[in-house]
Amino acid sequence: MKKVILDVDTGIDDALAISYAIHSPALEVCGITTTFGNITVEEATRNTLQMLELLGAADIPVYQGAARPIVRELTGKARLFHGENGLGNVVLPPPVTAAQPESATQFLISTIKANPGQITLITVGSMTNLARAIMAAPEIVTLIEQVVAMGGAVTVPGNRTPVAEANICADPEAAAFVMQSGIPLTLVGLDVTMQTLLTREHLREWRARDTPVSRVFADMCELYMDAYATVGNVRGCGLHDPLAVGVVIDPTFVKAVPMHVEVDTSGGASDARTIGDRRARPAQAANVQVCLKVDHERFVQHFLRHVMGN
Ligand code: BDR
Ligand code: CA
């Protein structure tokens, strides 16, 4: 089993990613750290605890992370896509469990140091917690097995701006810092996640299952799909965060290409864009594995088989 830590801004697709990771026999989820993005960090922590309780996995420890970007002010929430509460306005009982006293940064550093070469970090929100952890303990760059990050749009349009993806927009300086840090990083961006769609047909199957979890997931995703239909004219919703988990479970779901990637932090029209050097002779050495192709059918089938367990 691969030891993983999830770093989330829960979030509808984050919730699906958590459930997928927990139910995958290939992964051991050592802990979950929270960040801002789709919602505030406090809401992300609450939603994560609620999800774990719904899934019967409240023994997985949750560590609250950064409340704001490293340099900038906190920007608005993603209400249109994730609803007012981040979970598609689905109301779950208030959590009876609480986050751990340790911060996300402390947990990341201590866990990576205690398990050299063994921890995979999956970030599916802003990269702020990881950036802070590297700033405080630069040695983790060589002690971590790898980071798989949902973020960026290297060869396709953005979703938050014409050129930038939401997780990078949430804290561009953090993403830029992580990419320059030398940490082994795979970017699972919109290049591939917009090809892995959950459809209304899948929601009908979840409704027919009629379990407490399948009902909640179907209700959450209904709002997510409505947003996609309105804004992007997309038939379904992107399985962004679950695909990052999928890439850890089975790297052959995607084809990743080594590339030099920079994040624009200029504040101008291309702010937060992930610029990949795709020239035949790039000027600088590759710092990121960028996922450019995905076997979407195989991944979606795997996701559907495991997301709720048996
Ligand atoms: C990413 O942004 C968030 O809205 C989603 O949870 C996902 O992590 C997609 O761009
Ligand atoms: Ca997310």
Side-chain angles (χ1 to χ4, degrees):
M1 288 218 283
K2 272 187 200 159
K3 289 183 197 293
V4 300
I5 298 172
L6 303 177
D7 188 58
V8 297
D9 61 328
T10 315
I12 295 170
D13 59 326
D14 305 68
L16 298 178
I18 290 170
S19 188
Y20 181 37
I22 286 172
H23 290 115
S24 167
L27 305 182
E28 176 193 346
V29 181
C30 303
I32 301 184
T33 53
T34 61
T35 185
F36 60 88
N38 292 324
I39 27 75
T40 66
V41 72
E42 290 83 8
E43 290 166 321
T45 302
R46 178 202 62 204
N47 292 352
T48 303
L49 293 168
Q50 286 176 313
M51 265 303 138
L52 291 175
E53 290 178 19
L54 173 74
L55 297 168
D59 55 318
I60 296 177
V62 175
Y63 301 83
Q64 184 158 298
R68 47 158 295 180
I70 285 173
V71 176
R72 304 184 186 197
E73 293 302 318
L74 188 63
T75 50
K77 307 200 279 185
R79 287 195 182 88
L80 175 65
F81 279 86
H82 296 271
E84 192 57 44
N85 68 354
L87 295 178
N89 298 332
V90 172
V91 179
L92 294 172
V96 294
T97 49
Q100 303 295 313
E102 216 180 346
S103 75
T105 308
Q106 288 166 337
F107 172 70
L108 287 172
I109 295 170
S110 60
T111 311
I112 293 165
K113 282 184 167 183
N115 299 272
Q118 291 180 57
I119 299 291
T120 293
L121 173 64
I122 306 173
T123 71
V124 296
S126 73
M127 289 198 205
T128 319
N129 290 333
L130 175 57
R132 280 173 177 273
I134 299 171
M135 285 173 191
E139 65 275 22
I140 65 170
V141 162
T142 54
L143 294 174
I144 200 164
E145 187 188 347
Q146 61 163 340
V147 177
V148 176
M150 191 284 132
V154 176
T155 60
V156 297
N159 55 3
R160 184 73 173 269
T161 80
V163 296
E165 184 277 331
N167 288 341
I168 306 292
C169 282
D171 193 346
E173 281 77 15
F177 178 80
V178 168
M179 288 190 203
Q180 289 162 11
S181 70
I183 206 159
L185 175 66
T186 297
L187 213 51
V188 182
L190 300 178
D191 312 79
V192 279
T193 65
M194 286 307 293
Q195 296 172 48
T196 54
L197 296 184
L198 190 71
T199 65
R200 305 250 182 211
E201 178 59 37
H202 297 134
L203 296 198
R204 277 193 285 278
E205 287 165 23
W206 287 358
R207 291 208 184 282
R209 250 188 203 227
D210 204 25
T211 67
V213 175
S214 74
R215 281 196 296 270
V216 165
F217 281 6
D219 287 347
M220 281 189 331
C221 290
E222 207 81 58
L223 180 138
Y224 205 30
M225 287 188 193
D226 290 346
Y228 270 93
T230 319
V231 174
N233 200 17
V234 176
R235 219 181 47 80
C237 62
L239 288 169
H240 307 288
D241 297 348
L243 183 58
V245 172
V247 168
V248 177
I249 295 170
D250 183 350
T252 71
F253 285 142
V254 289
K255 168 137 175 42
V257 173
M259 208 183 282
H260 185 81
V261 180
E262 267 178 40
V263 178
D264 185 319
T265 54
S266 63
S270 62
D271 191 46
R273 181 179 193 168
T274 42
I275 303 165
D277 193 341
R278 303 174 69 204
R279 295 174 294 179
R281 289 170 186 264
Q284 295 175 76
N287 55 345
V288 179
Q289 298 284 332
V290 182
C291 298
L292 291 183
K293 285 189 181 157
V294 58
D295 187 343
H296 53 90
E297 278 169 20
R298 200 160 60 86
F299 163 70
V300 173
Q301 284 315 312
H302 188 274
F303 167 78
L304 292 170
R305 249 196 334 274
H306 288 91
V307 65
M308 284 176 239
N310 296 315

